C-alpha cells in the first residue's frame, strides 16, 4: 500500500481548534493574508478595520469564516472586541509604522502570550522593535517585493537564496549553472503558462542550484559616444528656441565667410573667416572704397554679430538656470540611456530605486508629488526625479523613456499603472514594461492584450510570508514565476504530529512540494537529498520548496496534537519520492 492510501492530502490544512488569529488592516495585503489563512489553513480570523464598506473591507468580509470588527481607532476596546485575550497571533498590516508599533505594544499588554507580526517600512526601526517585543516578527512587504520587480525589469531571475550549513543554494536558469550543481527543478517557463515543480525535473529551465560564486546575469550597459553625449547635454541645458536662433545666426556667419572669400581674391578661406569673426564681434569700420556687394556683406555681418551677443547671453543664462534647477530638484542633468524608469515612489517604489541603485543600475524616478515618500531617498542617492503625471507623454519623454532599458510602474492604482505603461509603449513599442497589478485575472489579460512584459502583485508576493509568520513557520524566501509563486520554507517537525516518527516518504508524497534538505534539531548540520526511509524526529526541520497549497499540506502534518490514528506501515518506506523531486 502506498503512502497516499493511508495518509490523506487535504487541500485545506486544519489548525488546532483553539487557534484564533487577528488581522488589523483593510488594504490588499490584509485581504491576501486573510485569504491565505482561510483557504490554506481554515483559520478562524477576526479582522479589525475602520469601515467594512470601504477599501478592501467588502472583499475581506466576503471570505468564509471571517469576523469583522469596525473601529475608527485601533485601541484597547477594538482589540478586546476582536478577542485579543484568546488570540494565537495578531498581524498589524496597516501602512503606518508608528501606529502598528503602538498597536503591537497594546496587544502584548492585553495578551502577553500573543504572537505579533508587524508590517513596517522602516526595517532598521523594525529590528529594534523585534528585540524589545520578544515573540514578534517584523516584515516589510516592500522589501520582499523590490527584488522581484527589479529582476523582472532587468530580465533576470529574482535573487533568492537559501543558506544551509555548509552551502548556499540560489535560484538560477538551468543554462547558467553546471548540471552537477542543480538541486531541484522549480519551473518550466517555456510555454505560455509556467509549470511549477514539473513532474519531469529535466523540463525545468528554472532551478535551485548550489551557488558557484559566479553570475551569468551581469548586465551590460550601452557605451555612449562622447560626441553624442555632448550634444545631448546641450539639448538638456539650452531650450530649443535658443538653439534654433543660435544655429541660424551661425549659418549667416558661415555664409558671410564664404561670400567674403569669393568677393576678395586676396583673402583665403581662413582669412575671410578671421575678418568675418572680428567684424561680427567688434563691429564694422566704414570703408567707402569697398564695392557695393562688400559694403552690403559687411553690414549684414555686423548686424549678425550684434544679434549674436544677446542670443549667447540668453543661452548661458538658460543653461545655468536649468543646471541649478536640476541640481535642486534632482531632474536629469544630462543624457541617460540603458537606465530603468521607476514610476511611483511609495513604499515599494522607494525600495526598488534603492535596490537598483545599489546593484549599479542607473535609475530615473517619476512621481506626481515632490514630497512623495521616496523623494528624499532619490535626492539622497542622486537619482533624478521627474515630478509629473507618468500617463502624459511629455513626462515620460523627460525621463528619457525612449532610451531606457525598462519601465517599472508601481503606484497603488492599477488603472494609473496601466495608463502609464500604454503611454510609454506608444513612444517605444519594444520597451520592457513591468506593472504592479493586484488582480491576477486582469493582469493576465493585460499581458496578453497589450504585450506587457510582466506584472507583479506586492500583496501576492508577501502574503504567504506574513501568514507563515503568524503560524510560527519560517519562510526563507519566495520565487515569483510569472503571476504564480513558489515558497521556500523551513518546517518544524513537532512532537505528536503526523510526521513525528514517520518516514520521509510521507513528505515526499505531498503534491506540489519538494524536500531539498533536512536540518538537525540544533540547526548545525543539514542532510541534502535525505533518503525516503529516513525517520523524522521532533525538532528536526524540513527545508522545502513548494506551492502555497503544498506548503499548507505539509504544515498540517507538523502540528502538535494531529498524530495518526493508525500506525506507520513498513511498505510506506518503499514509496519513492515523486518524479521531479530532488535531483
Amino acid at each position: 500500500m502506498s503512502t497516499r492510501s493511508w495518509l490523506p492530502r487535504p487541500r485545506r490544512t486544519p489548525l488546532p481548534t483553539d487557534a484564533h488569529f487577528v488581522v488589523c488592516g483593510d488594504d490588499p495585503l490584509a485581504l491576501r493574508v486573510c485569504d491565505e489563512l482561510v483557504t490554506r489553513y481554515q483559520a478562524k480570523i477576526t479582522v479589525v478595520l475602520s469601515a467594512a464598506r470601504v477599501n478592501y473591507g467588502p472583499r475581506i468580509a466576503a471570505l468564509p469564516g471571517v469576523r469583522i470588527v469596525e473601529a475608527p481607532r485601533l485601541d484597547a476596546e477594538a482589540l478586546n472586541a476582536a478577542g485579543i485575550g484568546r488570540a494565537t497571533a495578531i498581524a498589524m498590516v496597516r501602512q503606518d509604522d508608528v501606529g502598528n508599533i503602538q498597536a503591537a505594544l497594546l496587544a502584548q499588554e492585553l495578551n502577553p502570550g500573543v504572537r505579533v507580526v508587524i508590517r513596517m517600512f522602516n526595517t532598521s526601526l523594525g529590528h529594534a522593535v523585534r528585540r524589545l517585543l520578544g515573540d514578534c516578527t517584523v516584515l516589510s512587504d516592500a522589501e520582499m517585493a523590490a527584488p522581484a520587480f527589479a529582476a523582472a525589469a532587468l530580465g533576470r531571475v529574482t535573487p533568492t537564496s537559501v543558506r544551509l550549513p555548509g552551502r548556499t543554494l540560489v535560484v538560477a536558469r538551468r543554462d547558467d549553472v553546471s548540471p552537477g550543481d542543480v538541486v531541484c527543478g522549480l519551473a518550466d517557463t517555456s510555454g505560455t503558462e509556467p509549470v511549477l515543480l514539473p513532474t519531469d525535473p529535466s523540463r525545468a529551465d528554472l532551478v535551485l542550484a548550489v551557488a558557484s560564486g559566479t553570475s551569468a546575469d551581469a548586465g551590460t550597459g550601452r557605451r555612449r559616444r562622447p560626441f553624442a553625449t555632448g550634444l545631448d547635454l546641450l539639448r538638456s541645458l539650452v531650450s530649443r528656441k535658443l538653439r534654433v536662433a543660435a544655429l541660424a545666426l551661425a549659418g549667416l556667419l558661415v555664409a558671410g565667410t564664404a561670400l567674403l572669400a569669393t568677393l576678395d581674391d586676396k583673402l583665403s578661406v581662413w582669412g575671410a573667416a578671421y575678418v568675418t569673426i572680428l567684424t561680427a564681434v567688434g563691429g564694422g569700420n566704414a570703408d567707402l572704397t569697398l564695392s557695393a556687394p562688400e559694403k552690403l556683406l559687411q553690414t549684414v555681418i555686423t548686424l549678425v554679430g550684434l544679434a549674436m551677443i544677446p542670443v549667447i547671453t540668453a543661452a548661458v543664462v538658460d543653461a545655468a538656470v536649468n543646471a541649478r534647477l536640476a541640481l535642486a530638484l534632482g531632474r536629469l542633468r544630462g543624457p541617460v540611456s540603458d537606465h530603468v524608469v521607476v514610476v511611483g515612489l511609495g513604499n515599494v517604489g522607494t525600495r526598488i530605486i534603492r535596490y537598483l541603485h545599489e546593484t549599479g543600475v542607473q535609475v530615473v524616478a517619476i512621481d506626481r508629488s515632490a514630497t512623495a515618500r521616496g523623494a528624499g531617498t532619490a535626492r539622497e542617492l542622486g537619482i533624478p526625479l521627474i515630478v509629473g503625471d507618468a500617463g502624459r507623454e511629455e513626462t515620460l519623454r523627460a525621463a528619457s523613456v525612449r532610451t531606457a532599458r525598462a519601465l517599472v510602474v508601481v503606484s497603488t492604482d492599477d488603472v494609473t499603472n496601466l495608463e502609464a505603461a500604454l503611454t510609454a509603449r506608444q513612444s517605444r513599442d519594444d520597451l520592457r514594461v513591468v506593472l504592479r497589478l493586484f488582480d491576477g485575472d486582469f493582469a493576465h489579460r493585460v499581458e496578453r492584450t497589450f504585450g506587457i512584459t510582466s506584472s507583479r502583485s506586492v500583496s501576492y508576493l508577501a502574503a504567504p510570508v506574513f501568514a507563515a509568520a503568524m503560524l510560527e513557520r519560517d519562510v526563507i524566501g519566495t520565487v515569483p514565476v510569472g503571476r504564480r509563486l513558489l515558497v521556500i520554507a523551513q518546517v518544524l517537525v513537532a512532537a505528536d504530529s503526523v510526521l513525528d516518527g514517520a518516514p520521509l516518504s510521507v513528505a515526499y508524497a505531498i503534491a506540489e512540494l519538494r524536500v531539498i534538505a533536512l536540518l538537525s534539531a540544533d540547526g548545525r548540520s543539514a542532510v541534502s537529498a535525505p533518503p525516503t526511509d529516513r525517520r523524522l524526529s521532533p525538532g528536526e526541520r524540513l527545508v522545502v520548496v513548494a506551492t502555497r497549497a503544498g506548503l499548507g499540506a505539509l504544515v498540517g502534518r507538523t502540528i502538535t496534537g494531529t498524530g495518526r490514528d493508525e500506525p506507520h506501515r513498513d511498505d510506506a518506506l518503499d514509496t519513492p519520492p515523486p518524479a521531479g523531486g530532488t535531483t
Side-chain angles (χ1 to χ4, degrees), residues 467-490:
M470 296 183 72
L471 296 170
E472 208 171 8
R473 312 299 172 189
D474 186 5
V475 173
I476 301 172
T478 56
V479 184
V481 185
R483 290 285 299 186
R484 302 187 66 189
L485 191 72
L486 287 172
V487 180
I488 303 175
Q490 291 184 21

Side-chain angles (χ1 to χ4, degrees), residues 7 22 63 82 84 108 124 169 194 231 237 272 278 314 338 343 358-359 361 366 400 408 451 457 498 504 539 548 578:
L7 190 62
V22 178
L63 293 173
I84 187 63
Q108 285 205 332
S124 57
L169 308 181
L231 289 179
L237 294 178
L278 289 183
D338 203 34
V343 178
E358 290 174 351
T359 55
V361 177
I366 299 177
S400 298
V408 181
S457 167
V498 172
L504 197 56
R548 295 182 300 160

Side-chain angles (χ1 to χ4, degrees), residues 138-158:
V138 177
L139 300 171
S140 169
D141 57 329
E143 189 173 49
M144 296 176 204
F149 279 92
L154 301 175
R156 304 176 185 174
V157 175
T158 303

Side-chain angles (χ1 to χ4, degrees), residues 28-376:
L29 180 59
L31 172 61
R32 296 279 196 195
V33 171
C34 292
D35 181 69
E36 189 81 12
L37 292 170
V38 168
T39 60
R40 305 296 174 191
Y41 308 104
Q42 289 184 304
K44 299 176 182 178
I45 307 174
T46 299
V47 180
V48 182
L49 40 73
S50 57
R53 297 183 179 180
V54 299
N55 297 329
Y56 284 81
R59 298 180 65 171
I60 294 174
L63 293 173
V66 173
R67 186 169 73 94
I68 300 296
V69 172
E70 294 186 80
R73 296 178 62 244
L74 196 55
D75 52 17
E77 182 180 355
L79 291 179
N80 284 323
I84 187 63
R86 58 186 175 86
T88 304
I90 182 170
M92 316 292 183
V93 296
R94 300 176 303 169
Q95 295 193 46
D96 179 2
D97 285 4
V98 175
N100 288 343
I101 293 174
Q102 291 176 341
L105 292 171
L106 181 58
Q108 285 205 332
E109 285 181 10
L110 298 173
N111 182 358
V114 71
R115 187 180 313 122
V116 178
V117 179
I118 307 177
R119 173 193 195 177
M120 292 193 67
F121 175 78
N122 188 333
T123 52
S124 57
L125 175 60
H127 292 318
V129 170
R130 183 178 60 185
R131 289 194 300 269
L132 293 173
L133 288 181
D135 190 6
C136 172
T137 301
V138 177
L139 300 171
S140 169
D141 57 329
E143 189 173 49
M144 296 176 204
F149 279 92
L154 301 175
R156 304 176 185 174
V157 175
T158 303
T160 303
S161 63
V162 182
R163 299 184 185 278
L164 300 175
R167 66 176 182 167
T168 299
L169 308 181
V170 295
V171 177
R173 295 289 178 188
R174 184 181 289 274
D175 294 340
D176 297 334
V177 297
S178 62
D181 290 337
V182 176
V183 173
C184 174
L186 297 179
D188 176 12
T189 62
S190 58
T192 54
E193 292 292 333
V195 178
L196 303 185
L197 303 176
T199 306
D200 180 5
S202 63
R203 288 180 51 199
D205 53 356
L206 189 67
V207 300
L208 191 66
V210 178
S212 60
T214 60
S215 173
D217 290 322
T220 55
R222 283 177 272 181
R223 301 183 68 181
R224 287 173 281 176
R225 295 171 297 172
F227 180 69
T229 299
L231 289 179
D232 290 339
L233 181 61
L234 178 64
R235 294 191 191 100
S236 66
L237 294 178
V238 180
S239 67
R240 183 175 180 275
K241 291 181 178 180
L242 286 176
R243 294 200 308 268
V244 170
L247 288 175
L249 293 174
L252 290 174
L253 291 179
V254 171
T257 299
L259 286 174
L260 184 59
T262 302
L263 294 173
D264 194 337
D265 296 336
K266 298 179 180 180
L267 290 175
S268 63
V269 174
W270 295 112
Y274 170 73
V275 173
T276 301
I277 293 173
L278 289 183
T279 302
V281 175
N285 295 319
D287 188 353
L288 299 178
T289 63
L290 295 177
S291 62
E294 289 176 325
K295 290 179 180 178
L296 177 61
L297 181 58
Q298 185 183 44
T299 302
V300 172
I301 292 174
T302 301
L303 293 175
V304 169
L306 293 174
M308 183 70 81
I309 293 174
V311 170
I312 293 176
T313 303
V316 171
V317 172
D318 191 39
V321 171
N322 287 336
R324 287 180 178 273
L325 286 174
L327 186 61
L329 301 178
R331 294 175 178 168
L332 296 179
R333 296 187 289 272
V336 291
S337 64
D338 203 34
H339 58 291
V340 176
V341 179
V342 178
V343 178
L345 292 185
N347 290 351
V348 179
T350 303
R351 292 290 186 192
I352 292 174
I353 64 172
R354 183 178 288 279
Y355 181 87
L356 289 170
H357 178 79
E358 290 174 351
T359 55
V361 177
Q362 192 170 14
V363 185
V364 174
I366 299 177
D367 197 278
R368 292 176 180 269
S369 173
T371 59
R373 177 187 282 274

